[in-house]
Coordinates of all heavy atoms in Angstrom, one line a residue:
T1032 N -11.3 1.7 3.2 CA -12.7 1.6 3.6 C -12.9 1.9 5.1 O -12.0 2.1 5.8 CB -13.3 0.2 3.3 OG1 -12.4 -0.8 3.9 CG2 -13.3 0.0 1.8
D1033 N -14.2 2.0 5.4 CA -14.5 2.5 6.8 C -14.1 1.5 7.9 O -13.9 1.9 9.0 CB -16.1 2.7 6.9 CG -16.5 3.9 6.1 OD1 -15.7 4.7 5.8 OD2 -17.8 4.0 5.9
N1034 N -13.9 0.2 7.5 CA -13.5 -0.7 8.5 C -12.0 -0.8 8.7 O -11.5 -1.7 9.4 CB -14.0 -2.1 8.2 CG -13.5 -2.6 6.8 OD1 -12.9 -1.9 6.1 ND2 -13.7 -3.9 6.6
M1035 N -11.2 0.1 8.1 CA -9.8 0.1 8.2 C -9.3 1.3 9.0 O -9.9 2.4 8.8 CB -9.1 0.1 6.8 CG -9.4 -1.1 5.9 SD -8.6 -0.9 4.3 CE -6.9 -1.1 4.7
S1036 N -8.3 1.2 9.8 CA -7.7 2.3 10.4 C -6.6 2.9 9.4 O -6.2 2.2 8.5 CB -6.9 2.0 11.7 OG -5.8 1.2 11.4
L1037 N -6.3 4.2 9.6 CA -5.3 4.8 8.7 C -4.0 4.1 8.7 O -3.3 3.9 7.7 CB -5.1 6.3 9.1 CG -4.2 7.1 8.2 CD1 -4.8 7.2 6.8 CD2 -4.0 8.5 8.8
Q1038 N -3.6 3.6 9.9 CA -2.3 2.9 10.1 C -2.4 1.5 9.3 O -1.4 1.2 8.6 CB -2.0 2.6 11.5 CG -0.6 2.0 11.8 CD 0.5 2.9 11.3 OE1 0.6 4.1 11.6 NE2 1.4 2.3 10.4
Q1039 N -3.5 0.8 9.4 CA -3.6 -0.4 8.7 C -3.5 -0.2 7.2 O -2.9 -1.0 6.4 CB -5.0 -1.1 9.0 CG -5.1 -1.8 10.3 CD -6.5 -2.3 10.5 OE1 -7.5 -1.6 10.3 NE2 -6.6 -3.5 11.0
F1040 N -4.1 0.9 6.7 CA -4.1 1.2 5.3 C -2.7 1.5 4.8 O -2.3 0.9 3.8 CB -5.0 2.4 5.0 CG -5.1 2.8 3.6 CD1 -5.5 1.9 2.6 CD2 -4.8 4.1 3.2 CE1 -5.6 2.3 1.3 CE2 -4.9 4.5 1.9 CZ -5.3 3.6 0.9
H1041 N -2.0 2.3 5.6 CA -0.6 2.6 5.2 C 0.3 1.3 5.2 O 1.1 1.1 4.4 CB 0.0 3.7 6.1 CG -0.6 5.0 5.8 ND1 -0.6 6.0 6.8 CD2 -1.2 5.5 4.7 CE1 -1.2 7.1 6.2 NE2 -1.6 6.8 5.0
D1042 N 0.1 0.5 6.2 CA 0.8 -0.8 6.3 C 0.5 -1.7 5.1 O 1.4 -2.3 4.5 CB 0.5 -1.5 7.6 CG 1.0 -0.8 8.8 OD1 1.9 0.0 8.7 OD2 0.5 -1.2 9.9
T1043 N -0.7 -1.7 4.7 CA -1.1 -2.5 3.5 C -0.5 -2.1 2.3 O 0.1 -2.8 1.5 CB -2.7 -2.5 3.3 OG1 -3.3 -3.0 4.5 CG2 -3.1 -3.3 2.1
L1044 N -0.4 -0.7 2.1 CA 0.2 -0.2 0.9 C 1.7 -0.4 0.9 O 2.3 -0.7 -0.1 CB -0.1 1.3 0.7 CG -1.6 1.7 0.4 CD1 -1.7 3.2 0.3 CD2 -2.0 1.0 -0.9
A1045 N 2.3 -0.2 2.1 CA 3.8 -0.5 2.2 C 4.1 -1.9 1.9 O 5.1 -2.2 1.2 CB 4.3 -0.1 3.6
E1046 N 3.3 -2.8 2.4 CA 3.5 -4.3 2.1 C 3.3 -4.6 0.6 O 4.1 -5.3 0.0 CB 2.6 -5.1 2.9 CG 2.8 -6.6 2.8 CD 1.9 -7.4 3.7 OE1 0.7 -7.7 3.4 OE2 2.4 -7.7 4.8
L1047 N 2.3 -4.0 0.0 CA 2.1 -4.2 -1.4 C 3.3 -3.7 -2.3 O 3.7 -4.3 -3.2 CB 0.8 -3.5 -1.9 CG 0.4 -3.8 -3.3 CD1 0.2 -5.2 -3.7 CD2 -0.9 -3.0 -3.6
S1048 N 3.8 -2.6 -1.8 CA 5.0 -2.0 -2.5 C 6.2 -3.0 -2.4 O 6.9 -3.2 -3.4 CB 5.3 -0.6 -1.9 OG 6.4 -0.1 -2.6
R1049 N 6.3 -3.6 -1.2 CA 7.4 -4.6 -1.1 C 7.1 -5.8 -1.9 O 8.1 -6.4 -2.5 CB 7.5 -5.0 0.4 CG 8.1 -4.1 1.3 CD 9.6 -3.9 1.1 NE 10.3 -5.1 1.1 CZ 10.8 -5.8 2.2 NH1 10.6 -5.3 3.4 NH2 11.5 -6.9 2.0
L1050 N 5.9 -6.2 -2.0 CA 5.5 -7.4 -2.9 C 5.9 -7.1 -4.3 O 6.4 -7.9 -5.0 CB 4.0 -7.7 -2.7 CG 3.6 -8.4 -1.4 CD1 2.1 -8.4 -1.3 CD2 4.1 -9.8 -1.4
V1051 N 5.5 -5.9 -4.8 CA 5.8 -5.6 -6.2 C 7.3 -5.5 -6.4 O 7.8 -6.0 -7.5 CB 5.2 -4.2 -6.5 CG1 5.6 -3.7 -7.9 CG2 3.6 -4.3 -6.6
D1052 N 8.0 -5.0 -5.5 CA 9.5 -4.9 -5.6 C 10.1 -6.3 -5.6 O 11.0 -6.6 -6.4 CB 10.0 -4.1 -4.4 CG 11.6 -4.0 -4.5 OD1 12.1 -3.4 -5.4 OD2 12.2 -4.6 -3.6
T1053 N 9.6 -7.2 -4.8 CA 10.0 -8.6 -4.7 C 9.7 -9.3 -6.1 O 10.5 -10.1 -6.5 CB 9.4 -9.3 -3.6 OG1 9.7 -8.7 -2.3 CG2 9.9 -10.8 -3.5
A1054 N 8.6 -9.0 -6.7 CA 8.2 -9.6 -7.9 C 9.0 -9.0 -9.1 O 8.9 -9.6 -10.2 CB 6.7 -9.4 -8.2
G1055 N 9.8 -8.0 -8.9 CA 10.6 -7.4 -9.9 C 10.1 -6.2 -10.6 O 10.5 -5.8 -11.7
G1056 N 9.1 -5.5 -10.0 CA 8.5 -4.3 -10.6 C 9.0 -3.1 -9.9 O 9.6 -3.1 -8.8
D1057 N 8.9 -2.0 -10.6 CA 9.3 -0.6 -10.1 C 8.0 0.2 -9.8 O 7.3 0.5 -10.7 CB 10.2 0.1 -11.1 CG 11.5 -0.6 -11.3 OD1 12.1 -1.0 -10.3 OD2 11.9 -0.7 -12.5
V1058 N 7.8 0.5 -8.5 CA 6.6 1.3 -8.2 C 6.9 2.7 -8.5 O 7.8 3.3 -7.8 CB 6.3 1.1 -6.7 CG1 5.1 2.0 -6.3 CG2 6.0 -0.4 -6.4
L1059 N 6.2 3.3 -9.4 CA 6.4 4.7 -9.7 C 5.5 5.7 -8.9 O 6.0 6.8 -8.7 CB 6.1 4.9 -11.2 CG 6.9 4.1 -12.2 CD1 6.6 4.5 -13.6 CD2 8.4 4.2 -11.9
Q1060 N 4.4 5.3 -8.5 CA 3.5 6.1 -7.8 C 2.4 5.3 -7.2 O 2.1 4.2 -7.6 CB 2.9 7.2 -8.7 CG 2.2 8.4 -8.0 CD 2.0 9.6 -8.9 OE1 2.8 10.0 -9.7 NE2 0.8 10.1 -8.9
T1061 N 1.7 5.9 -6.1 CA 0.6 5.3 -5.5 C -0.6 6.2 -5.5 O -0.5 7.4 -5.2 CB 0.9 4.9 -4.0 OG1 2.0 4.0 -4.0 CG2 -0.3 4.3 -3.4
V1062 N -1.8 5.7 -6.0 CA -3.0 6.5 -6.0 C -3.9 6.0 -4.9 O -4.1 4.7 -4.8 CB -3.7 6.4 -7.4 CG1 -5.0 7.2 -7.3 CG2 -2.8 7.1 -8.4
Q1063 N -4.5 6.8 -4.1 CA -5.3 6.4 -3.0 C -6.7 7.0 -3.1 O -6.9 8.1 -3.6 CB -4.7 6.8 -1.6 CG -3.3 6.3 -1.4 CD -2.7 6.9 -0.1 OE1 -3.4 7.4 0.7 NE2 -1.4 6.8 0.0
Q1064 N -7.7 6.2 -2.5 CA -9.0 6.8 -2.4 C -9.7 6.2 -1.1 O -9.5 5.0 -0.8 CB -9.9 6.4 -3.6 CG -11.3 7.0 -3.6 CD -12.1 6.7 -4.8 OE1 -12.1 5.6 -5.3 NE2 -12.8 7.8 -5.3

């Protein structure tokens, strides 16, 4: 969204990927908008 910087957005997605991995899931792809 407009209130996020590009770096914040990428950090958020990287952290979510780590969370999914920690929960035992396999991240196959990321879709962004």
Side-chain angles (χ1 to χ4, degrees):
T1032 52
D1033 291 342
N1034 60 348
M1035 298 177 71
S1036 69
L1037 186 61
Q1038 187 59 52
Q1039 283 177 317
F1040 181 56
H1041 288 158
D1042 290 344
T1043 298
L1044 290 182
E1046 183 174 86
L1047 184 57
S1048 183
R1049 285 291 308 276
L1050 286 168
V1051 170
D1052 180 65
T1053 301
D1057 295 315
V1058 178
L1059 302 187
Q1060 194 167 312
T1061 299
V1062 175
Q1063 303 176 13
Q1064 185 175 41

